[in-house]
Each structure stands twice: as C-alpha cells, then as structure tokens.
Amino acid sequence: MTKDFCRHTVFGLMSTVLNLMACHYFFIALSVRILFCIIADELRRLLTTMENLFADFHTKCIGPGLLSVKSCQLADEFDDLSGMHTELQVLSEKINSMFYVQGCCVFLILYLNNICVLYIYYMLAKQVELGPQFSHAILYFLPLALLLYYADGYMLIDLVLRYMDAIEMPAQLLKDCAAWLPILDRRLEESVKLFSLKMAAFPVSRSLLYLFDVTRPMVFATITSTITNAIVLVQYDYQYNET
C-alpha cells in the first residue's frame, strides 16, 4: 500500500512539474511571438515605404535630395529594428535551451498518451475487463476530458509552430525584396543587408532531440505514427486475447 502510494505520488509530481513547465513555456512563447509579429509588421511597413519611395523617385515625383534624406531615415529605422530583432532571436534561443529537456518530455508524453488513449477506447468498446470498472458518469465524462486534453495539446503544438514561423517571417520578407535591392540607396541597401546577415548569424533551432525539426509535416507524421502504433496494439490484442 505504501509503495503504491509513493509511486502514484511520484508520478503525480512528475506530471504536475511537466504541466507547469509547459504552461510557463506557453505564455513565454506567446509573449515573444507577439513581439516577433510586431517586428514583422514594422518590417513590412518599412519595405512598403521603401518600395513606394523608389517608385516615386523613378516617376520623378521626388528629387535625389529628398530621396537621400528619406533613405537615411529608413536606414536608421532598419538598424533599430535589426537590433531589436537580434535581441529577440537571442532571447528565443535561450528560452528554447531552457525548456529543451522539458519540451522533449512533453512531446514524448503526448505521443505515448495518444497511443494509450486509442487503445483504451478500443478496450472499452469491447466491454472487456476495463468496462465494468467505470461508472456511467465516468464514461460520460471521459469524452469531455479527452476533448480538453487534445485541445490543450493542439494549442501548445500550434503555438510552437506559429512561434517558429514568426521568428522566420522577417527573413522571408527580406528574401522577397532581394530582387530589387541593388537599385536602392547605398546606405539603405547596406542596412537591409546587415539585417539579413544578423538573422543568418543567430538562427533559432527547431530541433527536437537533435534528430528532427519541429515542422508541420513532422507533427502530422508523428500523429500518424501514434495511430499506426495504436492499430498494431489493437491487432495484437485481437489476435492473442480474443475470447
């Protein structure tokens, strides 16, 4: 009795600690993602302003002097934005390093739990030994609990993916404008290129266990893998435990 109590207590504490870590990471990543989105919106505004500025210059709506002044102003804004983005990238890398082990454990638990849930529902559907041990109230409560569990898991994974996308969004915006960079003002062009170089110098890792990159195809493949493993368990049970 004492051993069972100690074992259940340890498992409960481990689960609580992991859930607490996941909760902290969720709100930290959410806050940093908002900042990255703000930087991306500001960068998009600067690029649009820059494009309009040179369109006006080519149509001779403004002269070289005004072009130089506005280009210098835009270059200063690019430099400031680049500095803020670099600081956020470094902060993001520190956050990922801080929660790396806990994050791997959370994803592993989600993977194993999904297999177990599918298998247990198969067992309940068969109404074998597990079925009579649960009251009707618990059986009605289980779908709601599972709905909340999967909703929580979906929100966490979706936030991680959107968080990584927000980090890479400025690089994509600068990549799209690379075709017309050579015709820009020299100082402004150097500021934009410096922004790109800083992003390349501080990449944020998507690695999971140094084996996989956390991407949408990887998440989909993982979910598919859990379903496949659950089907294997069901087939094994059907073949060897069918009465």
Side-chain angles (χ1 to χ4, degrees):
M1 183 68 179
T2 304
K3 291 183 179 180
D4 292 340
F5 175 77
C6 293
R7 184 171 64 251
H8 294 160
T9 302
V10 171
F11 288 157
L13 287 175
M14 291 175 60
S15 177
T16 302
V17 169
L18 285 176
N19 288 334
L20 187 61
M21 290 292 181
C23 182
H24 285 174
Y25 178 81
F26 181 88
F27 287 106
I28 292 173
L30 181 62
S31 301
V32 177
R33 176 182 173 268
I34 291 173
L35 295 177
F36 272 113
C37 289
I38 293 174
I39 287 180
D41 291 339
E42 184 65 16
L43 178 60
R44 190 179 290 108
R45 182 190 67 82
L46 291 178
L47 292 174
T48 302
T49 303
M50 184 170 59
E51 186 177 4
N52 294 335
L53 177 63
F54 283 89
D56 292 340
F57 176 72
H58 288 309
T59 57
K60 297 183 179 180
C61 294
I62 60 174
L66 184 58
L67 173 67
S68 178
V69 172
K70 290 190 174 182
S71 295
C72 289
Q73 293 175 351
L74 285 175
D76 292 336
E77 293 186 46
F78 266 107
D79 292 338
D80 294 339
L81 195 64
S82 175
M84 290 186 289
H85 186 268
T86 301
E87 292 179 1
L88 276 181
Q89 278 188 305
V90 174
L91 176 62
S92 298
E93 190 63 32
K94 290 181 179 179
I95 292 172
N96 290 342
S97 300
M98 186 186 307
F99 289 93
Y100 185 79
V101 176
Q102 297 89 339
C104 293
C105 292
V106 168
F107 276 99
L108 180 61
I109 289 175
L110 289 174
Y111 182 88
L112 296 177
N113 281 351
N114 196 39
I115 297 175
C116 293
V117 165
L118 295 175
Y119 180 68
I120 288 174
Y121 258 83
Y122 162 75
M123 299 292 289
L124 290 174
K126 285 179 58 177
Q127 295 183 354
V128 291
E129 297 179 358
L130 291 176
Q133 297 179 7
F134 295 102
S135 65
H136 291 290
I138 294 179
L139 292 177
Y140 289 134
F141 176 74
L142 279 177
L144 177 61
L146 286 176
L147 177 63
L148 295 176
Y149 171 77
Y150 280 114
D152 180 68
Y154 170 79
M155 290 176 62
L156 177 62
I157 295 174
D158 183 65
L159 174 67
V160 172
L161 294 174
R162 290 179 181 272
Y163 174 48
M164 296 298 177
D165 292 342
I167 295 174
E168 298 174 354
M169 191 182 303
Q172 185 61 41
L173 292 174
L174 290 176
K175 182 179 178 181
D176 294 339
C177 77
W180 44 275
L181 272 179
I183 64 172
L184 300 180
D185 177 80
R186 181 175 179 180
R187 181 170 180 271
L188 181 55
E189 182 181 350
E190 290 177 353
S191 296
V192 175
K193 288 183 177 180
L194 181 61
F195 198 163
S196 301
L197 291 175
K198 284 184 177 180
M199 283 190 292
F202 298 100
V204 178
S205 175
R206 283 176 174 254
S207 175
L208 182 64
L209 294 176
Y210 301 103
L211 297 174
F212 311 101
D213 288 336
V214 182
T215 59
R216 286 175 175 81
M218 191 277 286
V219 172
F220 180 78
T222 303
I223 295 174
T224 304
S225 175
T226 62
I227 296 174
T228 302
N229 289 327
I231 292 174
V232 171
L233 287 176
V234 169
Q235 289 177 336
Y236 180 87
D237 179 80
Y238 182 81
Q239 181 175 355
Y240 293 101
N241 296 325
E242 187 72 18
T243 57

